Amino acid sequence: MLYYCYRSFIIYNRLEKENMAENSRYMDGTEFLEDVTEKIGQRLEEIKQSLDEGQKEIENMHEYYWENYTEMDQYGYEDFDNQQALLNQVNANQDRLAMKHRLERMADSPFFGRVDFVFEGEDEPEPFYIGIGNFAEKAGMTPMIYDWRAPVSGLFYDYDKGPASYEAPAGTIEGEIHSKWQYKIRGGKMIYAFESDTKIDDEILKRELGNNGDVKLKNIVRTIQKEQNAIIRNTKDRILVIQGAAGSGKTSIALHRIAYLLYHDRQNLKSSNVLVLSPNSVFADYISHILPELGEENIREMSFDLFAYRELKDTAADCEDRYDHLERIMKFPDDQEKERFRMKQSEDYVGLIEGFLATLEDRLVDFQEISFRGTKLTEEELIRMFYFKFQDTPLLARMNAVMDYFVDAYETLKGKDISDDDRILLQEKFDSMYVTKDIYTIYNWLLEDYGYDLLPEVPYERRKVQYEDVFPMLYLKYRLLGHGAQRNIKHLVIDEMQDYSFLQYVLLKQIFQCRMTILGDYAQTLDTKQHDVLKFLPKIFGKEIRKVILNKSYRNTYEIAEYAGKISGITDLELLERHGKEVEENSFSTEEEMLEAIRENLNLGENGYETGAVITMTEEEAYDTYRLLTNRGVDAAYVDRDSSAFKRGLTVTTFYLAKGLEFDQVFTIRGEQDNPLRNQAEYICATRALQELYVYEVEKK
C-alpha cells in the first residue's frame, strides 16, 4: 500500500512538471542545463530581493526600538516581543543568505550526473539529475536536481545499466536503469557529457584525477565509486575503521560520510556534534571547505596532542607534542628511548598503571579524625567510608564524597546550612589527609616503582612533560580524578589512525563515548616500526567494529604509485593506470647543485602546475632549504607546525607535516642513512606527488 501511495505521489508531481519524462528537453543535458540555470538565476534574484527587504526590516526594527524604548511597558513585555521579532528576522536573513550561497555554487555547476530510470510497470524512462544539493522550481515540487545524498541518487553510484532499486521512505522502489550520464559543468557551461555503462568510466576518472592539484582537498561527489558509496552511506555500524592505501581517498570518504550522516539524521546530529581529530592545523585547513561545499556547516577539529595539553594544564606548564618527539629521535637516534616510548604507550603499560593504582590507596592517604563544631568523624569511620562506601569513586575525588556525606549529616543534625567559610575550612581539613594531590608527583611515584627515570622535581612553571609521558599521565589523572565524557560529541573522526597508540585509544574510548569513523594507512606510520592498529582495536572497542580495506590508489600516476609500493613493500595495491613522467632519482656533489636542479625542474605558474613541494626530513632542514631557495629567487612558502594553511605555488615543509596533503610536483630530499624514520618518510613523500616525483640527495664526503 505504501508503495502505491508513493507511486501516486510521483505521478502527481510528474503532471505538475508537465510530463517532464516525455519532454525531450529533459533528456538532453545541454537543454536541461539552460533551463535549470535560468530557474536557479530566477530563484537567486528572488532571494536577493528578499534579503534586501529583510535587511530594511531589521533596520526599521532597530530604528523603532531606539525611538520608543523609553515608552515601552514597565514589565518589559513589549521590549521582549520586539527583541524576539528582531531575532526571528535576523535568523530568517541568515537562512536566506545560506540559501543564496548554495544556489550560487549550484549555478556554477548545477549537476554532474544523470540516471534514466524506468519504474517497474512502466515503459518510459524518467531522468534524475544528480547534483551537490536539491533544487526544485518551487517549494513542494519534485526536484529538478537531486542531492547526491538522496535515496534515488544511489542508483547513480551503485548500479550499471539493467535491473536496479533504491530505498525510498515508502519502501524499496524497483525498476531498470535505461542509461547513465556523466557531466562536467563549469561557470554554467557544459564542458563534456559522457554516457557510460558504469558509474565512472576510467577515462573520465583519469581526466578528473589528472587535473592540477589544489590547496584544498577536492570533494569527490562526481567520482564516488561503488565501494566508496557503501562506506559513505553506512548508518548502521557504530565504529567504522577504514584501512586505506595512500591515495585511496579515505579522508574524502570519511568527510563525505559525515556529510551524508548530517543529511540522513538531521533531527539528532548537528555539525556541532561532530569532531575531527586531525594531525595539524595545516591539514585541518586543507579539509575545512569540504562540508560547506556539500551544503553543511563546518565541524570542529583539533589535535589529540592539543587536547591532552589542555587537560594537563593544571599539572604542568608545558607538554611536548608528537613533532618534538619525532625531531628528537631523528636527530639523536636512541634505541632505548624508542623502546621506552613504545612501552609507555602499550597495553602492558596500562596494566602497570592499574597495578600501581591498586596499591596507591594506602600510601596516598593519612587518615585523621575530623572534628567540626561538636560533630566528629572518627578515623575508623573515615577508613570505612573511604574504602567501602565510596570505593567506586575515583581516588582523588573520594575524600570530597566523604566530606559531602559529613556536611549532609551535619546540616541534617543542626537543621541549618553550613556557611561558605566553614565549607572552605572543612575542605582544607579533608584535603590535608592526602599526602599529595599533585598528579605530576604521583606519576613520579609510578615511574620510580617501575624503575624508569624520574621527571625533574621542579616548580610548576618549569615543568615540561616529555611526549612519552603525556598520555600515561593523562590516563593516570582520569583514573584518579575521573573525567567528564564529551557528551556533546556524537560522532568522532580519527584521521591517521596508525599514529595512535593502544593507550591513546583507551583514552579516546573513555572520553568520546560515541560513534566513530577511524581511518589511516599503516604504511604511513610516524613510528620507527609499522604497527597494525586493526589487531588491537577489537580489544578496546569490542565487537562494535566494522573494518573496511581500500587497496586501490587514485592519487598518484602509475609510475609514482609503483615506486612508492617498492619503498613500502606493499604488493596487493590496485593502481589506476594514469601514466605520467618516470620518477627521477639523483645524487649531487653539492647542495648548490641540488638546489639548482630543483629550480630548473620546478614547473609552476600560468603554463605549469598549481602546487609543488620540497619535502625534507627535519624542521631544521626544511627551514634551511626554504631560506636557500628564496635567496636564489625561488618564490616559496615555509610551512611549520605553527602554520595554519598553505597556498598555491611552492611549499617547503617536513614529511610529517605533508601527510594527508598532495602536490603536483614533489621534490624529496633524502635524510641521513641512520635516520630511523627515513624509509617511512620517503614513502610519505612519494605518495604526496600527483604528477611528478623527484628524489634528491647530496653525496656524503
Side-chain angles (χ1 to χ4, degrees):
M1 183 68 182
L2 286 173
Y3 169 79
Y4 290 107
C5 289
Y6 182 77
R7 292 295 303 128
S8 298
F9 175 78
I10 290 285
I11 293 168
Y12 173 83
N13 279 287
R14 279 191 211 138
L15 293 172
E16 195 176 54
K17 295 175 71 174
E18 301 178 344
N19 293 320
M20 186 180 76
E22 296 177 8
N23 192 328
S24 62
R25 291 186 305 116
Y26 289 88
M27 303 299 288
D28 184 298
T30 302
E31 292 187 11
F32 180 78
L33 175 62
E34 292 175 0
D35 194 16
V36 80
T37 299
E38 181 183 348
K39 288 179 169 60
I40 290 173
Q42 291 170 356
R43 286 285 301 279
L44 273 171
E45 287 303 315
E46 293 170 4
I47 289 173
K48 288 175 183 177
Q49 185 178 345
S50 186
L51 273 169
D52 290 340
E53 292 172 354
Q55 187 59 40
K56 288 178 182 177
E57 185 65 22
I58 291 171
E59 291 170 1
N60 290 337
M61 286 181 177
H62 278 297
E63 186 177 345
Y64 175 84
Y65 180 82
W66 289 113
E67 288 179 353
N68 298 277
Y69 79 95
T70 57
E71 300 176 8
M72 293 180 185
D73 64 276
Q74 61 177 321
Y75 300 106
Y77 294 132
E78 187 177 358
D79 182 29
F80 176 78
D81 289 343
N82 282 325
Q83 292 294 333
Q84 284 298 112
L86 178 60
L87 179 62
N88 291 337
Q89 188 61 56
V90 169
N91 289 338
N93 254 28
Q94 287 177 339
D95 290 341
R96 293 187 190 106
L97 188 61
M99 176 62 74
K100 175 176 172 288
H101 291 157
R102 185 173 72 82
L103 289 175
E104 285 172 342
R105 286 194 296 270
M106 290 193 73
D108 179 71
S109 181
F111 55 90
F112 55 81
R114 189 184 97 207
V115 57
D116 299 333
F117 187 66
V118 183
F119 287 95
E120 189 176 52
E122 298 190 4
D123 299 322
E124 295 297 321
E126 181 169 343
F128 291 94
Y129 285 87
I130 315 298
I132 208 74
N134 285 311
F135 177 76
E137 191 171 352
K138 297 290 182 182
M141 293 180 65
T142 299
M144 297 178 71
I145 299 171
Y146 287 83
D147 191 294
W148 67 278
R149 297 166 291 184
V152 72
S153 301
L155 295 172
F156 180 72
Y157 295 115
D158 291 337
Y159 292 96
D160 303 336
K161 286 183 181 179
S165 65
Y166 66 96
E167 295 299 322
T172 302
I173 306 299
E174 304 279 352
E176 183 174 330
I177 293 177
H178 179 267
S179 62
K180 291 171 59 173
W181 288 79
Q182 300 159 51
Y183 303 96
K184 184 170 184 178
I185 302 167
R186 290 291 180 270
K189 304 295 183 182
M190 184 73 72
I191 307 300
Y192 63 69
F194 190 93
E195 187 178 6
S196 176
D197 289 344
T198 59
K199 157 61 197 80
I200 281 289
D201 184 89
D202 270 357
E203 292 305 313
I204 297 292
L205 185 57
K206 291 174 192 177
R207 190 184 305 183
E208 288 298 306
L209 299 174
N211 290 338
N212 284 350
D214 205 342
V215 295
K216 300 290 185 184
L217 183 68
K218 298 172 183 175
N219 77 65
I220 60 170
V221 290
R222 301 177 67 246
T223 59
I224 292 172
Q225 306 293 285
K226 184 176 181 178
E227 67 274 12
Q228 296 173 333
N229 194 47
I231 301 169
I232 290 169
R233 294 176 182 254
N234 181 319
T235 61
K236 297 179 181 179
D237 295 302
R238 179 175 170 80
I239 309 293
L240 183 63
V241 183
I242 307 169
Q243 164 63 43
S248 59
K250 51 188 177 292
T251 300
S252 292
I253 292 169
L255 293 172
H256 284 65
R257 181 177 190 232
I258 294 301
Y260 179 80
L261 293 174
L262 289 168
Y263 178 91
H264 178 80
D265 193 18
R266 289 198 180 281
Q267 291 186 334
N268 301 307
L269 188 66
K270 311 296 181 187
S271 57
S272 58
N273 302 136
V274 183
L275 174 66
V276 175
L277 290 183
S278 59
N280 54 66
S281 297
V282 174
F283 181 77
D285 177 72
Y286 183 62
I287 66 172
S288 62
H289 67 295
I290 287 290
L291 285 175
E293 276 189 7
L294 300 177
E296 303 293 342
E297 293 181 17
N298 222 333
I299 56 180
R300 289 190 289 163
E301 67 77 27
M302 68 183 306
S303 73
F304 199 28
D305 287 355
L306 178 59
F307 179 89
Y309 169 73
R310 290 175 178 175
E311 290 291 283
L312 292 174
K313 197 65 178 171
D314 59 353
T315 302
D318 198 7
C319 296
E320 282 190 342
D321 61 19
R322 185 63 184 264
Y323 302 141
D324 291 318
H325 173 72
L326 290 175
E327 289 285 338
R328 187 168 59 252
I329 65 173
M330 285 191 290
K331 292 176 182 177
F332 311 105
D334 185 333
D335 290 340
Q336 288 185 335
E337 181 180 358
K338 288 187 290 184
E339 188 55 41
R340 188 172 64 246
F341 174 81
R342 287 198 194 98
M343 175 60 189
K344 288 184 177 181
Q345 311 304 310
S346 69
E347 183 179 4
D348 288 342
Y349 203 68
V350 173
L352 291 180
I353 296 174
E354 291 298 322
F356 170 76
L357 288 168
T359 64
L360 185 59
E361 292 176 334
D362 296 335
R363 63 196 286 193
L364 190 60
V365 185
D366 181 15
F367 295 101
Q368 300 171 16
E369 181 181 277
I370 294 289
S371 179
F372 180 76
R373 301 191 187 280
T375 303
K376 286 185 179 181
L377 195 61
T378 66
E379 183 177 332
E380 184 180 346
E381 289 172 325
L382 275 167
I383 292 172
R384 187 166 58 251
M385 282 192 283
F386 192 87
Y387 284 108
F388 299 102
K389 187 176 183 61
F390 298 108
Q391 62 180 338
D392 295 330
T393 303
L395 193 53
L396 287 182
R398 199 176 299 178
M399 200 60 79
N400 287 343
V402 176
M403 190 188 85
D404 289 341
Y405 181 88
F406 179 82
V407 169
D408 286 343
Y410 176 86
E411 290 178 341
T412 301
L413 182 65
K414 300 295 184 181
K416 62 179 182 180
D417 293 341
I418 195 169
S419 70
D420 290 342
D421 289 342
D422 283 344
R423 182 176 284 275
I424 292 171
L425 179 64
L426 269 176
Q427 186 73 61
E428 290 174 352
K429 285 188 175 188
F430 277 93
D431 282 349
S432 68
M433 284 186 277
Y434 285 113
V435 176
T436 182
K437 295 183 73 174
D438 181 20
I439 302 296
Y440 188 92
T441 299
I442 298 171
Y443 185 73
N444 252 347
W445 293 355
L446 182 151
L447 294 175
E448 186 176 30
D449 284 1
Y450 294 117
Y452 290 102
D453 291 339
L454 302 184
L455 307 183
E457 293 287 352
V458 294
Y460 167 84
E461 60 273 8
R462 291 174 55 195
R463 292 177 178 176
K464 184 173 183 176
V465 182
Q466 285 197 342
Y467 191 67
E468 67 183 47
D469 294 307
V470 169
F471 291 97
M473 188 178 290
L474 182 60
Y475 182 80
L476 181 67
K477 178 182 178 179
Y478 283 168
R479 290 287 284 112
L480 288 172
L481 286 167
H483 65 90
Q486 301 288 315
R487 301 197 182 280
N488 183 54
I489 302 302
K490 297 180 180 181
H491 201 106
L492 181 71
V493 180
I494 303 173
D495 204 354
E496 305 293 352
M497 68 179 184
Q498 71 281 355
D499 293 333
Y500 291 79
S501 66
F502 183 95
L503 174 59
Q504 287 173 316
Y505 278 111
V506 170
L507 282 166
L508 287 167
K509 184 186 178 184
Q510 292 177 355
I511 300 165
F512 303 101
Q513 299 170 9
C514 62
R515 293 177 174 273
M516 298 183 186
T517 302
I518 305 173
L519 59 141
D521 172 15
Y522 68 86
Q524 294 187 63
T525 180
L526 293 179
D527 201 349
T528 53
K529 292 182 181 177
Q530 291 183 1
H531 67 286
D532 188 357
V533 301
L534 293 177
K535 293 180 179 179
F536 63 69
L537 282 181
K539 291 184 180 179
I540 300 169
F541 295 102
K543 297 180 179 179
E544 295 180 309
I545 286 182
R546 176 175 172 81
K547 305 173 188 175
V548 178
I549 307 297
L550 300 175
N551 62 1
K552 186 170 184 177
S553 177
Y554 299 99
R555 175 188 294 141
N556 320 110
T557 64
Y558 187 91
E559 290 76 14
I560 295 171
E562 193 174 43
Y563 177 87
K566 292 177 182 176
I567 298 173
S568 65
I570 298 173
T571 57
D572 60 346
L573 191 62
E574 185 181 349
L575 305 179
L576 183 70
E577 290 206 27
R578 179 175 67 86
H579 289 276
K581 184 178 178 180
E582 291 288 341
V583 176
E584 182 179 311
E585 293 184 287
N586 217 332
S587 215
F588 300 91
S589 301
T590 65
E591 188 175 48
E592 287 72 22
E593 290 179 2
M594 182 184 69
L595 294 169
E596 183 59 26
I598 293 173
R599 193 181 67 80
E600 288 180 356
N601 285 302
L602 195 62
N603 182 25
L604 303 178
E606 187 174 345
N607 298 317
Y609 297 121
E610 294 281 345
T611 58
V614 177
I615 307 178
T616 69
M617 302 297 107
T618 69
E619 200 168 46
E620 183 181 2
E621 290 169 349
Y623 183 74
D624 286 345
T625 302
Y626 161 74
R627 181 175 51 80
L628 291 168
L629 284 170
T630 54
N631 287 343
R632 285 163 171 76
V634 177
D635 187 16
Y638 173 61
V639 170
D640 62 11
R641 69 183 75 179
D642 297 321
S643 302
S644 58
F646 73 96
K647 303 175 182 178
R648 283 182 173 82
L650 183 65
T651 296
V652 184
T653 190
T654 58
F655 75 94
Y656 53 79
L657 290 175
K659 275 216 308 178
L661 310 179
E662 56 187 34
F663 308 87
D664 292 310
Q665 287 185 298
V666 168
F667 299 86
T668 301
I669 300 180
R670 280 176 168 152
E672 301 287 343
Q673 287 284 351
D674 61 350
N675 187 330
L677 293 173
R678 175 168 162 150
N679 195 68
Q680 291 92 319
E682 288 193 16
Y683 175 74
I684 291 168
C685 291
T687 53
R688 301 309 96 203
L690 287 166
Q691 317 289 353
E692 296 180 11
L693 174 64
Y694 303 82
V695 182
Y696 291 166
E697 66 181 331
V698 178
E699 297 172 354
K700 301 302 177 184
K701 298 179 180 179

